[in-house]
Amino acid sequence: MTPVPTITLNNGVEIPQVGFGVFQIAPDRTREATLTALQAGYRHIDTAQMYGNEKQVGEAVRAFGADRAEIFVTSKLNNGYHAYDDALGAFDGTLADLGFEYLDLFLIHWPLPAVGDFVETWRAMEEIYRSGRCRAVGVSNFQPHHLQRLLDETDTVPAINQIEVHPYLAQDEVRAFNAEHGIATEAWSPIAKGEVLDDETLVRIAGEVGRSAAQVALRWHIQRGDIVFPKSVTPRRVEENLAIFDFELSDAQMAQITGLDRGQRTGPDPDHFNMVP
């Protein structure tokens, strides 16, 4: 299998461009699913406090037996812990649940502007980064105006902005803002929870390149420079989602897929989402 390339973040840390997401995988299935992904060649795992399966991710990483430094692990701050001290304590809880001495990447999961001050939360993230227990910090679901506040009022540029991106939601404006400020873009829901897989354009291009529609969608992300972490608990699909580095889409095919953008979200709009569990 062709090795997974890495993206160099703005602090020099390297992250594999494809990872394995454990969103909506039940805790009692997460260890097995994560271990299957690691055995298939994934070296990047994306979890979150909200998912309730950090412990099982840590168990899988240890069971796999590789040097900890070989596995890049991301988690995200739960929405109920945006106050400065709460965020610091929540990070301690993540490390304890994972059973790690350090984390590779920690993100603010949602900006939640009507719930708390995400600038205060980001200052806690800066402290977490300075402590040396997290190799990089970033945000998730931030719009350009959210990011601009961080740039104006704090000292650390987020390493990553993890946002919903797929062929029906190209997010060119947010991605451009990220790129302008050295913030890497991670794409969650990269195949729109499967909604794009029957799209006639993707199906046609899949036939042209001899791949599945899912592989074509993921390859579109890769050639745009996004970091992706598709989720599946089916071993064949786990392997298929990683087999996207031995073919390329043409410029015309890339443009046709980008042209499918219809502003269609599968998840909440960050400007209006304020749910705290």
Side-chain angles (χ1 to χ4, degrees):
M1 181 178 292
T2 306
V4 176
T6 60
I7 299 290
T8 301
L9 303 179
N10 58 21
N11 66 348
V13 168
E14 294 188 353
I15 181 172
Q17 196 174 3
V18 175
F20 181 72
V22 299
F23 175 57
Q24 291 185 331
I25 299 181
D28 62 358
R29 300 189 67 188
T30 299
R31 182 185 185 278
E32 178 184 358
T34 303
L35 191 54
T36 295
L38 292 169
Q39 291 167 343
Y42 291 80
R43 294 297 180 267
H44 169 190
I45 309 297
D46 182 275
T47 184
Q49 294 175 353
M50 189 182 297
Y51 304 166
N53 54 19
E54 290 174 311
K55 179 180 178 181
Q56 291 76 21
V57 166
E59 290 173 352
V61 170
R62 285 187 291 278
F64 182 60
D67 189 312
R68 167 70 184 89
E70 294 182 19
I71 313 297
F72 192 104
V73 179
T74 299
S75 192
K76 310 175 197 75
L77 180 70
N78 209 337
N79 290 344
Y81 300 102
H82 268 229
Y84 184 91
D85 289 339
D86 291 345
L88 297 180
F91 178 75
D92 291 341
T94 279
L95 286 188
D97 286 345
L98 287 165
F100 294 166
E101 293 183 358
Y102 71 92
L103 186 63
D104 296 285
L105 177 66
F106 196 48
L107 308 177
I108 299 177
H109 206 151
W110 290 89
L112 305 176
V115 173
D117 183 0
F118 59 79
V119 173
E120 176 187 355
T121 314
W122 184 246
R123 291 194 175 105
M125 302 292 279
E126 291 181 305
E127 177 58 31
I128 289 166
Y129 178 58
R130 285 192 296 266
S131 76
R133 296 181 300 152
C134 193
R135 299 175 65 217
V137 290
V139 296
S140 182
N141 301 300
F142 274 50
Q143 301 282 64
H145 64 92
H146 300 134
L147 292 169
Q148 190 62 57
R149 277 200 65 199
L150 297 186
L151 297 175
D152 291 343
E153 300 178 36
T154 69
D155 298 324
T156 306
V157 178
I160 273 177
N161 186 17
Q162 183 182 116
I163 56 175
E164 181 179 357
V165 186
H166 47 74
Y168 289 168
L169 186 69
Q171 291 273 40
D172 286 340
E173 179 183 351
V174 183
R175 292 177 66 258
F177 187 95
N178 290 344
E180 179 183 355
H181 297 282
I183 302 168
T185 296
E186 283 191 332
W188 64 261
S189 195
I191 58 173
K193 298 180 180 177
E195 291 185 23
V196 302
L197 300 186
D198 294 326
D199 185 276
E200 61 181 32
T201 297
L202 283 175
V203 170
R204 174 178 52 78
I205 292 173
E208 292 170 357
V209 298
R211 297 296 175 123
S212 71
Q215 287 175 312
V216 167
L218 294 173
R219 182 67 202 181
W220 171 77
H221 284 285
I222 294 301
Q223 290 183 214
R224 297 207 321 160
D226 296 342
I227 301 160
V228 295
F229 39 93
K231 184 212 77 175
S232 177
V233 294
T234 305
R236 177 183 62 81
R237 290 180 180 171
V238 169
E239 295 178 2
E240 177 184 288
N241 289 340
L242 201 60
I244 56 175
F245 296 103
D246 57 352
F247 76 100
E248 288 191 3
L249 301 174
S250 69
D251 290 345
Q253 289 167 334
M254 288 290 294
Q256 289 162 16
I257 297 170
T258 303
L260 297 174
D261 181 23
R262 58 184 71 166
Q264 178 180 320
R265 295 183 180 273
T266 67
D269 182 335
D271 282 324
H272 304 290
F273 179 70
N274 292 300
M275 186 183 76
V276 177

